[in-house]
Amino acid sequence: MLTITIALAAAAALYLAIEWRSVREPSLLFWSAGFATITVGSTLALLRGIGLLLIGIWFANGLLVVAHWFFLAGVLRFTQSRLSRGWLLIVLVWFGLLLLPVGPQWSKVMLMVNSLLVALLTLKASFLLRPHGKSLSVGAAQLRYVLLVHGLFYVTKAVIAITPGTLIDLATFGGLIIQVSLVEGAMALMLIALSMTGTVRYRREERIARLAARDPLTALYNRRALEVRAPHLFKEVSPANPAALLLIDIDNFKLVNDLHGHAAGDRLLVALSEMIRAVLPERSLAARLGGDEFVILLSAASSERVVELGGVLRERFQQFAREAMPTPQAVTLSIGANLFDQPPASLAALIEQGDVALYQSKRGGRDSIRLVVSPVR
């Protein structure tokens, strides 16, 4: 069984290292190092059969604690958490085990303390993966429970180790608790490795999906993402709960690019996106349609609210552009807004109505908001 454990740990270490090369998630490196440490420790444990007890028992069990330190370090990196310095006492406690004399009773004490150290590290890792408002991910939840069971097993192992009448022979792997521990260890290796991989893959897929839904420059939703999310907002629209679309375009944007460069133009777009986020009410949506054109879908809207929000945006934007990127002609915002109290046939139809209002704003001298109040069918 120990040979099987060595093979499984080595395979898990290699598997997670290969996975790291693909996704570059630092947590995988810590977890891979943990399994590599178990491989070394389990290999050294074979030496106890030829009388090398210091290496085969004490050092090998110490590496088991180190391996679970690596597991905890990976979880810390994954959850962006930190430990207090008090956790370094675990190192002192383990080195204290080296002072224990040789003998069956002291072997029980050594096994109990070593098991409690492993349990403490494992349960802490499981605790860090608890839901924070919402679950970190499906994979993280699975890893959390696998670590929880693994940690509780080591707590049970520690209790049984000091129970009178239990047979424990660390030199020859004798005793039921030792045999059960080997079986649990092999099963835990497989489950932990799979859960760790699933945790990171889920986060990676989630990150890819998030990036696919966002404009790469401003991090606002792109048009495709807006089309996916807009129908949920439309379902709540009624005469008692109207909504509004604000189509926003930057006046004289070309002057910024020509006079200050495209990098300055990008900074202006980013600045506008941040202003939009700052004024965006809850349950509303904002997106960059492309170029210098942005859109806001406002829930629970009214004419006064639309005009007020548009006015705030125009004032803040014009002040920023005037101070950061002066041009012969003012760089301002034109806004075409459409207030509607019936769900539109489509987002495209709604944008078309907003585009008509935006055109009227442009023709009216720019730097203005034009509001159209009408249902879209």
Side-chain angles (χ1 to χ4, degrees):
M1 184 57 70
L2 187 58
T3 304
I4 294 176
T5 300
I6 294 171
L8 287 174
L14 181 61
Y15 176 56
L16 291 172
I18 293 174
E19 191 74 13
W20 173 81
R21 288 178 60 89
S22 300
V23 301
R24 298 292 174 174
E25 170 59 54
S27 298
L28 289 172
L29 279 183
F30 286 108
W31 293 334
S32 178
F35 284 112
T37 304
I38 289 176
T39 304
V40 175
S42 298
T43 302
L44 294 177
L46 294 173
L47 299 178
R48 68 184 68 180
I50 59 175
L52 298 177
L53 301 185
L54 179 63
I55 297 177
I57 296 180
W58 266 254
F59 191 66
N61 279 280
L63 287 182
L64 182 64
V65 177
V66 172
H68 286 79
W69 259 116
F70 279 124
F71 290 161
L72 176 58
V75 172
L76 287 169
R77 185 59 185 260
F78 182 82
T79 58
Q80 303 292 305
S81 305
R82 299 184 68 181
L83 291 179
S84 66
R85 292 184 178 181
W87 283 83
L88 295 177
L89 290 174
I90 289 179
V91 178
L92 298 178
V93 172
W94 188 86
F95 275 109
L97 295 177
L98 296 177
L99 303 177
L100 293 176
V102 178
Q105 293 303 318
W106 294 111
S107 291
K108 286 190 174 186
V109 173
M110 187 271 179
L111 181 61
M112 178 198 70
V113 176
N114 205 83
S115 298
L116 287 177
L117 294 179
V118 171
L120 186 62
L121 294 168
T122 307
L123 292 175
K124 178 61 176 180
S126 176
F127 177 79
L128 290 173
L129 290 168
R130 73 194 187 282
H132 298 266
K134 61 178 182 179
S135 179
L136 291 170
S137 71
V138 174
Q142 181 181 359
L143 178 58
R144 176 195 176 202
Y145 287 112
V146 171
L147 291 174
L148 176 62
V149 173
H150 187 57
L152 291 177
F153 173 82
Y154 270 88
V155 172
T156 304
K157 181 179 175 181
V159 173
I160 296 176
I162 58 173
T163 302
T166 55
L167 172 63
I168 297 174
D169 189 343
L170 295 178
T172 61
F173 295 106
L176 180 61
I177 185 174
I178 301 297
Q179 298 299 320
V180 172
S181 181
L182 291 173
V183 174
E184 188 277 340
M187 294 176 61
L189 288 178
M190 292 186 293
L191 291 174
I192 291 174
L194 291 173
S195 299
M196 286 172 172
T197 306
T199 297
V200 173
R201 283 184 175 176
Y202 186 93
R203 172 175 281 185
R204 183 191 181 201
E205 292 169 0
E206 193 177 53
R207 186 183 298 124
I208 291 173
R210 186 167 58 250
L211 290 174
R214 298 285 178 175
D215 172 63
L217 177 64
T218 64
L220 292 176
Y221 286 128
N222 55 31
R223 180 160 186 159
R224 181 179 179 184
L226 185 66
E227 288 175 345
V228 172
R229 290 162 175 77
H232 298 288
L233 187 148
F234 294 158
K235 289 179 181 178
E236 301 176 0
V237 176
S238 68
N241 186 43
L245 177 139
L246 286 77
L247 198 60
I248 304 167
D249 186 79
I250 301 177
D251 305 319
N252 300 316
F253 180 66
K254 188 175 183 298
L255 286 177
V256 175
N257 286 329
D258 292 343
L259 296 175
H260 300 282
H262 289 279
D266 288 345
R267 289 199 303 273
L268 191 63
L269 294 173
V270 171
L272 177 56
S273 69
E274 292 173 351
M275 294 174 195
I276 290 174
R277 285 193 194 90
V279 300
L280 190 68
E282 189 178 353
R283 300 178 62 81
S284 298
L285 299 171
R288 181 189 178 197
L289 297 184
D292 60 339
E293 194 169 51
F294 295 77
V295 64
I296 294 175
L297 274 176
L298 198 63
S299 63
S302 65
S303 300
E304 295 78 10
R305 194 180 188 194
V306 170
V307 172
E308 179 184 3
L309 187 146
V312 170
L313 274 179
R314 287 172 43 241
E315 181 179 345
R316 292 182 183 179
F317 180 80
Q318 184 174 5
Q319 180 180 354
F320 175 84
R322 182 174 60 248
E323 295 175 355
M325 303 160 193
T327 54
Q329 294 175 275
V331 177
T332 56
L333 294 182
S334 289
I335 303 175
N338 182 30
L339 185 69
F340 55 99
D341 60 5
Q342 296 292 330
S346 65
L347 177 63
L350 194 59
I351 291 176
E352 186 177 342
Q353 290 286 335
D355 203 37
V356 171
L358 177 62
Y359 179 72
Q360 293 174 357
S361 175
K362 291 279 190 182
R363 288 198 62 184
R366 302 179 179 180
D367 186 24
S368 63
I369 179 169
R370 184 61 59 93
L371 174 63
V372 176
V373 181
S374 62
V376 179
R377 303 225 180 242

